[in-house]
Amino acid sequence: MAELLAGFGCYTHAVVRAVPRSLATQALRSGNLEVDPLKVQQEQEYYVSVLTQRLGLEVIELPADETQPDCVFVEDAAVVCENTALITRPGAESRRGEAEAMKRALTELDLNIVEMTDETATLDGGDVLFTGREFFVGLSKRTNQRGAEILADTFKDYSVSTVPVLQGFHLKSFCSMAGPDLIAIGSSEAAQKTLKIMQQMSDHKYDKLTLPDDLAANCIYMNLPNKGHVLLHCTPEEFPESAKVFEKLKDHMLIPVSNEEKGKVDGALTCCSVLINKKSKI
Amino acid sequence: MTTEVGTETDVKKEPEKVQEDQQQTDQPDQTSDGDAPANTEEHQQGSQSAEAPTEQEESPEPRSPTPAGEQKKEKGISRFLPPWLKRQKSQSQEKESESAAADVKDGEQEEKGTKEKSEDQPAEVKEVTGEKSKTEEVQVEEKDREEQKSVGSADTQPVREETEGEPDENHKQQVNARETPSKLTKKMKMVVCHVTLLDGSQFTCDVEKRAKGQYLFFEVCKHLNLMEKDYFSLSFKDSADQRCWLDPTKEIKRQIRNSQWQFAFSVKFYPPDPSLLTEDITRYLLCLQLRQDIASGRLPCSFVTHALLGSYALQAELGDYDTEEQRVDYIADFQFAPNQTKELEEKVVELHKSHRGMTPAQADIQFLENAKKLSMYGVDLHHAKDSDGVDIMLGVCANGLLIYKDRLRINRFAWPKILKISYKRSNFYIKIRPGETEQFESSVGFKLPNHRAAKRVWKVCVEHHTFFRLTSPEQPTKTKFLTLGSKFRYSGRTQAQTRQASTLIDRPAPYFERTSSKRISRSLDGAPVVNVAGGDSMGVGENGPTLELNSDNKVVDVEKPSVDVDTSVSEQTATHVADSAVIKSKLRVQGENIYVRHSNLMLEDLDKTQEDVLKHQASISELKRSFMEATPEPRPSQWEKRLTGSPATTLRLQVSGDPQKTSPHPENDSRDGSKSSEVIPDVNGQMEVVEVLEETVVIEEVVKARPKSPAPDVTTESGTAPEVKEEQSLSSDSESEDEAEYHGQTPSASFCVQQIKEEPEEEEAELNQQALPLDAEPQPIREPESSAKEEESSSAQPDEDISTEEVSMTPDEAPNGHVLDTEDLPATEGEEPHIVNGNVSRVETERLPQVICCSEPPVVKTEMVTISDTFAAQKTEISTKEVPIVHTETKTITYEAAQLDGNGDGEPGVLMTAQTITSESLCTTTTTHITKTLKGGLSETRIEKRIVITGDSDIDHDQALAQAIKEAKEQHPDMSVTRVVVHKETELAEDED
């Protein structure tokens, strides 16, 4: 807290969750694609290994719950900022149960837990973009105004602006933070429009990293001791054009992480972890 | 007394005389607008003693080309004008001596005033040994009161006398106050001001009663040893318990009205980067403010932030954590958060320990570095509703305007995106610069709880935009001729300028004593009352005013010279007035108002026995010319007279019940006085009334400005105007009643932001000022703001009254002719510029001779005359502001030239001829000639012209009006313009609701 912005991208812990077998068949998806359970498993394993071995984060891996096919996408269940965690109320009713395990895990991490108990509120973590200076909450099929209000009440230090998600699944389906004050944004019209709104709503000037593919705009930025700027992003196999854009980031440690199979069920890179900075705790 | 009476009459007569002059030609009675204030004083004084000289003096300013000037000299004009100022003293003395009764009254009034003041304030009114000051001050008050009273009726003569004397005094006082309060040799009433400082302590300061806000502010800054003072300001609570910023350029008394002389010193502009402040003491004060903001919940922050900021506060106040001496409960005296828990305190202590070695200054810096990042840092919140009626909050900050719904930011308009900000009634609008892909600029409207709230937001926006976005304050550029709206501008230093100045600070870091922890806690708890409450209070307070009844009362009280007050008042008044007026007007056929769309230029003869309507363009042009050329002589505004005169008004005033209130408000008083004076004095002169109706179709509401040639209106306006103008130079607040626009400009620096509407107000004000000088009674002028407010409030009433009067055609009032105005008002109300024949109805008598020079316009142009809302309120029949959905707004501004005294007041002349000519050109013009035979066997001809200018908002109404007046003058070189009524109607394109 000492400095609101100083710690942006600094994480010490990550909460992830194992992939349930039910994901391949029962997970919600906007497309109608077939998912290879094995590949999903492999992707997840690599993802976790990057966090733990490559980046040295302390990873808490929650066991899968077969009754919750989407439970691997832990991001939607909680929003953590500094040492406060908001346990969300996911927009999809079938996912409401996922919050329980997340709550327990975060409680053990000694975070201040805030639960979204208002039954009129819905919020998916995937609709929450924290820039280090402020929050943008996408109003989507999964997130409503009330959910955003509760988030604003939870994180009072920051301004919380709502932006419409004109297209796509979550707000972060086409954007994310690629660095301090650097917003990765897809090139679709809807994405660009949303970016404009965000820019208008903010007192800060953000740089933007425009990617040819909307989905590729979901990346994970971290600022880790001894590693500097770290960016987990799409692989060239998935989005060759977008990968080239990432590769131009000279100051970043670039780590391509495949997300092809999870993408079929609308899972993006950021969806699979909740990042926490315990050091930031005062 | 008799003399005074004469003077009063003279004053009033001045206009009348002017009117007489009219016959010769409309002279520019108006001296210089700029001089107006002084002139007014002079005029008033002069009117009593030296008639001719005054006129002459004035005349020069006015540019009175017409013979009227001569006549004026002969008659009252000379009396009224210039000499007054010079002679004021002597006159005032004379008055005192001469009119013992008057003095007594004055004394009474003074006492009353003092009482009122005292009531208002805990502050004590001290009579300084000043010799005349008392009388003057008293007179001023008395004037106001008198005016009000006079309105009633019987008291008219005495009242007038008093008023005469008062005006002089008032002028003097005003002058003195303006120049240097402290220098006043005369008796000075001192008032004790209590200022709550940021550390919770009280600063007590004796201030001359008529001192401006600046004086007190500087005293406080001196006490604090603060040099970077531009971020700070003084605030006070108005009658609605709303926090209002004290305008440094305006008299304190007029701003606080009936409120107590209790102020709070607080941060007005939160520096986005406190580290750029030069001095530690400045940062310290900012810290104190933020501690209040945080403890009160006004600046929300998380638990962690509360703890962190609290720990820095402790470090700054107590130094390093002392394990032995400091117990855990040592922080119990501090309040770090609205809901302070033990857990929080423990956290604070824990963090405090970690700050070991940090100096207080460093701790403050750390505090600020964290506080400035909070999302609500420096955001001034105002309750509002969007176009759908949804509750939102408008947040004004350094970067622009933020829109919140609950805690969520749902929109943001950076200053560069905003082309114009305006308010109309209780609506607040911003015009948005078209985006890259957009072709047209769009406007967004918000509904505020009431007019005052709308005005407050508007002012805050103007101030923040100027302070943070501009490199230098916007200069009151060209004054457009007749514009309605507030002319308010921030005239203080901008952030850029203050930073520049800060670099020049060359002094050793001043030592300052930090508050003890206890003090802090107190300040946090208690101090917030003033400042803290502000944000929240707005909503509540505003709601209150909404009620019409309340509004009236409040109006009187609330209305202050200051924008906020005025606004509220105007709103209230407007509503009342509007309602009543509208109704009346509707009932009546408002004579000859022809609305093309935008403006109506009407020249009216005071005497209106009958009216024939003929349409002429030529006549119009002449009228215009004459009007333009003629120097307007200030007279008590008809409104005032009407107000005072009309029973209803008085009643209302009484009802409002606060004589004090009225007295405090010069404008109102003045108006009242003018009205009363008008009523009392017979206006023999012919009154020409030029009514100009301007309608703005755009989002901005229609503003109807009625320039009345007759002085009375002018005075009223002038009352407001003068203050506004003068003050504006400094702070530039004109209080537009209903509407005001502000065009934001790019940071580049210069702004032309002021919109026409605002300007008009100014102009009107100027006119008024001039008029005032002419009028023996300056009172109205001086206290224009307050009076304006009152006027506004009262105006509504007055309007009604007036209208009734007109209908009834009371001789007295009628003579004043300002009845016409009333008529006009109704017309205006007919939102759409319709032709109201009503003016014609004024058959009432108009004093033939009154020559009102509307010449002011030119002056006006030059100077920024702001016709504050007051005017609008007075003249306008503004639909209830409260009504959320306003489709049209109407503002009426009346400028009246001085009226001739004497000719049987109110005696209806015999109508000899009447004809009306209507012609169409740019504008639609309706001309009515009315010839009456007055008592003396004199015949007076009045020509009323109504010009309706229709156009889009883009139309330059000022220019159109000026042109119309000019033409009118040219057409009738031998006539003087006695009255200009500007009626502005704006249709809200799609305003909210």
Side-chain angles (χ1 to χ4, degrees):
Chain A
M1 207 6 246
E3 296 174 36
L4 293 180
L5 249 190
F8 183 64
C10 293
Y11 302 109
T12 57
H13 294 65
V15 176
V16 299
R17 197 161 188 184
V19 181
R21 287 187 298 277
S22 57
L23 179 143
T25 55
Q26 299 175 37
L28 301 173
R29 68 203 73 185
S30 53
N32 196 16
L33 305 174
E34 257 187 49
V35 176
D36 182 339
L38 190 59
K39 281 188 179 178
V40 171
Q41 193 63 41
Q42 290 172 346
E43 284 178 4
Q44 180 68 4
E45 285 173 4
Y46 180 69
Y47 183 92
V48 173
S49 71
V50 168
L51 295 180
T52 54
Q53 299 170 16
R54 185 94 182 261
L55 302 178
L57 296 181
E58 188 168 327
V59 176
I60 297 95
E61 182 162 10
L62 304 177
D65 185 333
E66 292 300 330
T67 65
Q68 298 168 354
D70 292 296
C71 68
V72 67
F73 303 123
V74 293
E75 176 188 47
D76 292 326
V79 177
V80 177
C81 182
E82 288 148 12
N83 65 338
T84 297
L86 173 65
I87 307 301
T88 68
R89 188 167 181 278
E93 220 174 314
S94 64
R95 300 191 60 187
R96 302 268 162 81
E98 296 175 21
E100 193 51 40
M102 179 59 68
K103 178 186 168 188
R104 267 184 270 121
L106 296 179
T107 303
E108 287 180 10
L109 285 172
D110 199 24
L111 295 177
N112 301 319
I113 304 295
V114 177
E115 288 187 85
M116 191 175 285
T117 55
D118 189 327
E119 295 192 352
T120 64
T122 61
L123 180 82
D124 275 13
D127 280 320
V128 178
L129 176 66
F130 179 63
T131 68
R133 298 178 179 277
E134 62 191 313
F135 285 95
F136 289 104
V137 178
L139 298 180
S140 66
K141 299 166 189 168
R142 298 289 181 83
T143 299
N144 64 19
Q145 181 91 10
R146 183 65 189 130
E149 289 173 12
I150 292 173
L151 182 132
D153 282 336
T154 303
F155 304 104
K156 289 180 180 166
D157 289 347
Y158 300 97
S159 68
V160 179
S161 304
T162 56
V163 297
V165 176
L166 307 168
Q167 162 187 318
F169 188 59
H170 280 142
L171 174 63
K172 281 196 281 192
S173 295
F174 53 81
C175 70
S176 64
M177 295 307 292
D181 292 340
L182 176 63
I183 297 178
I185 186 74
S187 56
S188 71
E189 193 177 327
Q192 290 295 318
K193 194 168 181 180
T194 299
L195 176 66
K196 277 210 168 59
I197 294 173
M198 289 194 288
Q199 289 173 328
Q200 179 191 325
M201 300 275 270
S202 175
D203 293 326
H204 305 290
K205 296 289 185 185
Y206 294 104
D207 295 324
K208 65 175 179 179
L209 179 67
T210 304
L211 300 160
D213 307 287
D214 276 9
L215 290 176
N218 183 290
C219 56
I220 299 174
Y221 166 80
M222 284 183 257
N223 183 4
L224 302 177
N226 302 324
K227 295 192 173 55
H229 301 290
V230 177
L231 197 64
L232 279 62
H233 62 86
C234 64
T235 60
E237 292 74 26
E238 260 181 295
F239 303 106
E241 295 304 317
S242 295
K244 287 179 186 173
V245 175
F246 282 116
E247 286 163 5
K248 291 177 183 174
L249 296 173
K250 302 298 181 188
D251 298 334
H252 290 60
M253 175 193 284
L254 299 173
I255 305 175
V257 177
S258 174
N259 195 56
E260 190 171 0
E261 287 304 308
K262 285 188 282 192
K264 292 176 180 176
V265 288
D266 301 319
L269 288 177
T270 60
C271 294
C272 299
S273 63
V274 171
L275 301 175
I276 299 156
N277 181 17
K278 288 291 290 180
K279 281 182 183 175
S280 70
K281 183 180 177 185
I282 294 181
Chain B
M1 296 299 291
T2 55
T3 359
E4 292 178 354
V5 174
T7 53
E8 289 178 351
T9 52
D10 292 352
V11 175
K12 296 174 182 177
K13 289 176 181 178
E14 292 177 353
E16 295 177 354
K17 293 176 181 178
V18 175
Q19 294 175 350
E20 292 176 355
D21 295 348
Q22 290 175 349
Q23 295 174 348
Q24 296 173 348
T25 303
D26 296 348
Q27 295 175 345
D29 294 346
Q30 317 158 341
T31 53
S32 60
D33 291 348
D35 298 354
N39 291 339
T40 54
E41 294 177 353
E42 292 178 356
H43 294 303
Q44 294 175 346
Q45 295 176 348
S47 63
Q48 295 176 348
S49 62
E51 300 172 353
T54 51
E55 290 181 354
Q56 292 175 350
E57 290 177 357
E58 290 178 354
S59 62
E61 295 174 353
R63 306 176 183 173
S64 59
T66 61
E70 296 175 357
Q71 292 179 350
K72 294 176 181 177
K73 293 177 181 179
E74 295 175 357
K75 295 180 179 179
I77 300 171
S78 60
R79 301 170 183 175
F80 307 125
L81 307 178
W84 289 92
L85 296 177
K86 298 176 180 179
R87 297 178 180 178
Q88 287 179 348
K89 298 176 181 178
S90 63
Q91 290 178 350
S92 63
Q93 294 175 349
E94 293 177 358
K95 290 178 180 178
E96 293 176 353
S97 62
E98 292 178 357
S99 59
D103 293 354
V104 174
K105 291 179 180 178
D106 294 348
E108 293 176 354
Q109 293 175 349
E110 291 179 352
E111 292 176 356
K112 292 177 181 178
T114 54
K115 290 178 180 178
E116 294 175 353
K117 294 177 181 178
S118 62
E119 292 176 356
D120 297 350
Q121 310 165 344
E124 299 172 355
V125 179
K126 298 178 180 178
E127 293 181 356
V128 180
T129 55
E131 300 173 353
K132 298 174 182 177
S133 61
K134 290 181 180 178
T135 55
E136 292 178 354
E137 293 177 352
V138 174
Q139 289 175 350
V140 175
E141 295 176 353
E142 291 178 354
K143 290 177 180 178
D144 295 345
R145 295 175 182 176
E146 289 177 353
E147 291 176 354
Q148 296 173 349
K149 293 177 180 178
S150 65
V151 175
S153 63
D155 299 344
T156 54
Q157 291 179 346
V159 174
R160 291 178 182 176
E161 293 176 357
E162 291 176 356
T163 53
E164 291 176 353
E166 292 175 358
D168 294 347
E169 293 175 354
N170 292 335
H171 293 300
K172 293 177 180 178
Q173 292 176 349
Q174 292 176 352
V175 174
N176 294 335
R178 294 175 184 174
E179 295 176 357
T180 312
S182 61
K183 291 180 180 179
L184 294 177
T185 311
K186 303 174 181 178
K187 302 173 183 177
M188 293 175 58
K189 288 184 179 178
M190 300 301 286
V191 177
V192 179
C193 293
H194 299 281
V195 180
T196 302
L197 302 180
L198 287 169
D199 62 2
S201 63
Q202 290 283 324
F203 170 70
T204 302
C205 174
D206 287 348
V207 172
E208 200 275 325
K209 191 175 169 187
R210 302 193 69 83
K212 290 182 178 177
Q214 211 163 22
Y215 176 79
L216 179 59
F217 180 67
F218 286 159
E219 287 299 308
V220 174
C221 290
K222 194 191 303 176
H223 170 75
L224 292 171
N225 200 13
L226 174 66
M227 292 188 74
E228 294 176 289
K229 47 176 157 315
D230 299 295
Y231 301 96
F232 303 84
S233 186
L234 293 175
S235 66
F236 61 93
K237 289 288 194 79
D238 65 15
S239 58
D241 205 34
Q242 298 294 307
R243 182 176 74 167
C244 301
W245 293 110
L246 190 66
D247 189 327
T249 63
K250 294 182 179 177
E251 286 184 21
I252 298 171
K253 184 182 119 188
R254 291 178 188 168
Q255 300 184 58
I256 63 172
R257 300 223 160 188
N258 292 321
S259 299
Q260 298 185 338
W261 291 64
Q262 175 73 49
F263 307 91
F265 177 82
S266 47
V267 175
K268 185 175 189 182
F269 302 113
Y270 290 76
D273 191 351
S275 65
L276 295 180
L277 295 173
T278 298
E279 298 199 303
D280 287 341
I281 188 172
T282 313
R283 268 187 290 272
Y284 169 66
L285 292 172
L286 178 58
C287 282
L288 292 179
Q289 175 70 64
L290 289 167
R291 288 182 203 168
Q292 282 186 18
D293 294 343
I294 291 168
S296 67
R298 192 165 146 193
L299 180 58
C301 49
S302 66
F303 174 87
V304 173
T305 303
H306 275 133
L308 183 66
L309 295 178
S311 67
Y312 286 127
L314 280 186
Q315 182 70 23
E317 294 292 339
L318 306 176
D320 291 346
Y321 177 81
D322 188 325
T323 331
E324 296 181 355
E325 297 181 1
Q326 295 177 341
R327 303 151 299 168
V328 177
D329 61 346
Y330 75 108
I331 60 170
D333 290 337
F334 290 86
Q335 185 173 0
F336 306 107
N339 300 313
Q340 188 161 322
T341 62
K342 196 68 183 173
E343 182 186 8
L344 176 61
E345 292 181 357
E346 290 171 356
K347 196 72 180 177
V348 170
V349 173
E350 176 186 331
L351 291 170
H352 181 201
K353 294 175 184 174
S354 69
H355 300 325
R356 182 167 297 280
M358 195 178 282
T359 66
Q362 289 172 331
D364 282 345
I365 290 173
Q366 287 302 313
F367 180 95
L368 294 174
E369 285 304 297
N370 284 280
K372 76 176 185 184
K373 293 174 185 169
L374 295 171
S375 67
M376 299 306 290
Y377 172 83
V379 177
D380 187 15
L381 288 177
H382 301 258
H383 288 282
K385 290 180 189 294
D386 65 11
S387 56
D388 296 328
V390 176
D391 287 320
I392 59 171
M393 297 283 279
L394 301 180
V396 183
C397 66
N399 295 324
L401 182 64
L402 305 172
I403 315 298
Y404 294 92
K405 182 175 184 300
D406 294 311
R407 274 274 168 70
L408 299 174
R409 182 185 293 182
I410 57 174
N411 214 335
R412 170 179 175 272
F413 302 98
W415 295 130
K417 282 283 286 182
I418 299 177
L419 288 171
K420 183 173 77 178
I421 55 179
S422 59
Y423 70 94
K424 178 183 180 182
R425 301 185 184 174
S426 59
N427 298 322
F428 174 72
Y429 305 95
I430 56 177
K431 184 178 285 185
I432 309 302
R433 187 185 302 279
E436 299 173 359
T437 60
E438 301 163 336
Q439 285 186 329
F440 305 101
E441 52 196 25
S442 57
S443 291
V444 181
F446 303 97
K447 176 72 177 178
L448 278 290
N450 56 41
H451 176 88
R452 291 178 57 199
K455 187 172 184 178
R456 188 180 299 123
V457 173
W458 178 81
K459 280 188 72 172
V460 171
C461 281
V462 171
E463 292 171 337
H464 276 70
H465 174 269
T466 305
F467 186 82
F468 290 111
R469 177 110 178 115
L470 301 186
T471 54
S472 63
E474 169 187 358
Q475 294 300 324
T477 46
K478 328 152 183 180
T479 309
K480 291 183 181 179
F481 186 37
L482 292 175
T483 311
L484 294 180
S486 171
K487 181 190 175 183
F488 172 82
R489 290 293 178 278
Y490 174 74
S491 60
R493 279 176 179 162
T494 63
Q495 181 177 234
Q497 289 173 324
T498 195
R499 282 180 178 170
Q500 178 80 23
S502 295
T503 61
L504 301 177
I505 293 178
D506 181 19
R507 67 172 181 181
Y511 168 80
F512 56 93
E513 200 165 333
R514 289 173 181 272
T515 59
S516 67
S517 59
K518 290 182 180 179
R519 252 192 178 179
I520 296 175
S521 62
R522 291 178 187 172
S523 65
L524 292 179
D525 297 344
V529 177
V530 179
N531 298 334
V532 175
D536 300 344
S537 62
M538 295 190 59
V540 177
E542 293 176 354
N543 293 336
T546 314
L547 298 179
E548 291 180 357
L549 295 178
N550 294 339
S551 64
D552 290 349
N553 296 337
K554 291 179 179 179
V555 172
V556 176
D557 299 346
V558 175
E559 291 178 352
K560 300 175 181 179
S562 59
V563 176
D564 295 347
V565 175
D566 290 349
T567 314
S568 63
V569 174
S570 62
E571 292 180 355
Q572 296 175 346
T573 21
T575 51
H576 293 294
V577 175
D579 296 346
S580 62
V582 172
I583 297 170
K584 293 178 181 178
S585 63
K586 290 178 180 177
L587 294 178
R588 292 182 179 181
V589 177
Q590 298 170 343
E592 318 165 350
N593 292 335
I594 299 172
Y595 262 168
V596 176
R597 270 193 183 180
H598 288 275
S599 59
N600 288 341
L601 243 192
M602 294 186 60
L603 296 183
E604 292 180 341
D605 290 353
L606 294 178
D607 300 356
K608 309 162 182 175
T609 345
Q610 299 173 349
E611 295 177 357
D612 295 350
V613 177
L614 299 181
K615 297 179 181 179
H616 256 326
Q617 290 181 346
S619 61
I620 297 170
S621 62
E622 289 182 1
L623 292 175
K624 293 176 181 176
R625 289 181 184 175
S626 62
F627 181 83
M628 297 292 291
E629 295 175 359
T631 2
E633 293 177 356
R635 290 185 181 179
S637 63
Q638 294 176 348
W639 292 96
E640 294 177 356
K641 293 179 179 178
R642 293 177 183 176
L643 292 176
T644 50
S646 63
T649 317
T650 28
L651 292 178
R652 293 180 180 178
L653 293 178
Q654 295 175 351
V655 175
S656 353
D658 306 351
Q660 296 175 350
K661 293 177 180 179
T662 36
S663 62
H665 312 292
E667 292 179 357
N668 294 334
D669 295 347
S670 64
R671 290 182 181 179
D672 295 346
S674 63
K675 292 178 180 179
S676 62
S677 65
E678 289 179 353
V679 176
I680 296 169
D682 300 351
V683 178
N684 296 333
Q686 300 173 349
M687 301 284 295
E688 293 181 2
V689 178
V690 178
E691 294 182 357
V692 178
L693 300 181
E694 294 182 2
E695 294 182 358
T696 308
V697 177
V698 185
I699 299 168
E700 307 155 8
E701 301 170 353
V702 178
V703 178
K704 298 177 182 177
R706 296 179 184 174
K708 295 179 181 178
S709 57
D713 293 348
V714 177
T715 34
T716 321
E717 295 174 354
S718 62
T720 26
E723 290 179 355
V724 174
K725 293 178 180 180
E726 294 175 354
E727 292 177 356
Q728 285 178 350
S729 58
L730 297 180
S731 59
S732 78
D733 272 334
S734 56
E735 307 153 354
S736 58
E737 300 170 349
D738 298 341
E739 312 171 5
E741 295 177 352
Y742 176 87
H743 298 278
Q745 295 182 347
T746 17
S748 48
S750 58
F751 270 11
C752 305
V753 179
Q754 297 177 347
Q755 295 180 349
I756 298 171
K757 291 179 179 180
E758 295 178 357
E759 292 176 357
E761 290 184 356
E762 292 177 354
E763 292 177 356
E764 290 179 357
E766 290 178 357
L767 293 176
N768 292 334
Q769 291 177 348
Q770 294 176 349
L772 292 175
L774 294 177
D775 296 349
E777 303 173 354
Q779 300 169 348
I781 299 171
R782 296 292 164 129
E783 300 174 349
E785 292 178 352
S786 60
S787 61
K789 296 176 180 178
E790 293 178 355
E791 289 178 359
E792 292 178 351
S793 61
S794 62
S795 64
Q797 299 173 349
D799 291 349
E800 295 177 357
D801 295 347
I802 295 168
S803 62
T804 32
E805 291 176 355
E806 292 179 357
V807 175
S808 61
M809 296 177 62
T810 311
D812 293 348
E813 293 177 356
N816 295 337
H818 308 301
V819 176
L820 298 175
D821 297 348
T822 324
E823 294 175 357
D824 295 349
L825 294 175
T828 13
E829 289 179 354
E831 304 166 355
E832 303 174 0
H834 300 300
I835 298 169
V836 178
N837 297 328
N839 294 339
V840 179
S841 62
R842 303 172 186 175
V843 180
E844 311 168 1
T845 29
E846 283 76 10
R847 309 28 197 346
L848 307 176
Q850 296 177 346
V851 178
I852 299 169
C853 303
C854 299
S855 52
E856 312 315 27
V859 177
V860 174
K861 294 177 180 179
T862 316
E863 297 177 355
M864 297 293 293
V865 179
T866 306
I867 298 169
S868 50
D869 301 0
T870 316
F871 288 90
Q874 296 174 344
K875 301 173 180 178
T876 325
E877 309 159 354
I878 300 166
S879 54
T880 311
K881 298 172 182 178
E882 297 176 356
V883 177
I885 302 171
V886 177
H887 297 290
T888 307
E889 279 191 355
T890 303
K891 281 190 178 181
T892 302
I893 299 171
T894 303
Y895 302 154
E896 285 184 326
Q899 297 176 347
L900 297 181
D901 296 356
N903 300 342
D905 298 350
E907 295 177 354
V910 177
L911 176 64
M912 302 188 67
T913 62
Q915 53 179 177
T916 302
I917 301 172
T918 303
S919 62
E920 291 185 1
S921 58
L922 276 181
C923 350
T924 302
T925 305
T926 303
T927 307
T928 304
H929 292 261
I930 301 173
T931 303
K932 294 181 181 181
T933 301
L934 298 181
K935 295 177 179 179
L938 300 175
S939 64
E940 137 182 295
T941 300
R942 289 192 178 185
I943 299 175
E944 291 185 1
K945 287 198 177 188
R946 290 211 167 190
I947 301 171
V948 179
I949 301 171
T950 306
D952 294 342
S953 58
D954 295 339
I955 294 178
D956 186 335
H957 298 287
D958 294 340
Q959 190 170 8
L961 175 58
Q963 181 61 26
I965 295 171
K966 187 178 180 182
E967 290 180 8
K969 287 184 179 178
E970 292 175 354
Q971 287 183 347
H972 304 280
D974 55 340
M975 306 269 300
S976 58
V977 179
T978 55
R979 197 184 192 198
V980 177
V981 178
V982 179
H983 219 62
K984 260 195 181 179
E985 283 191 355
T986 307
E987 290 184 3
L988 300 182
E990 353 119 341
D991 300 353
E992 21 170 91
D993 302 347

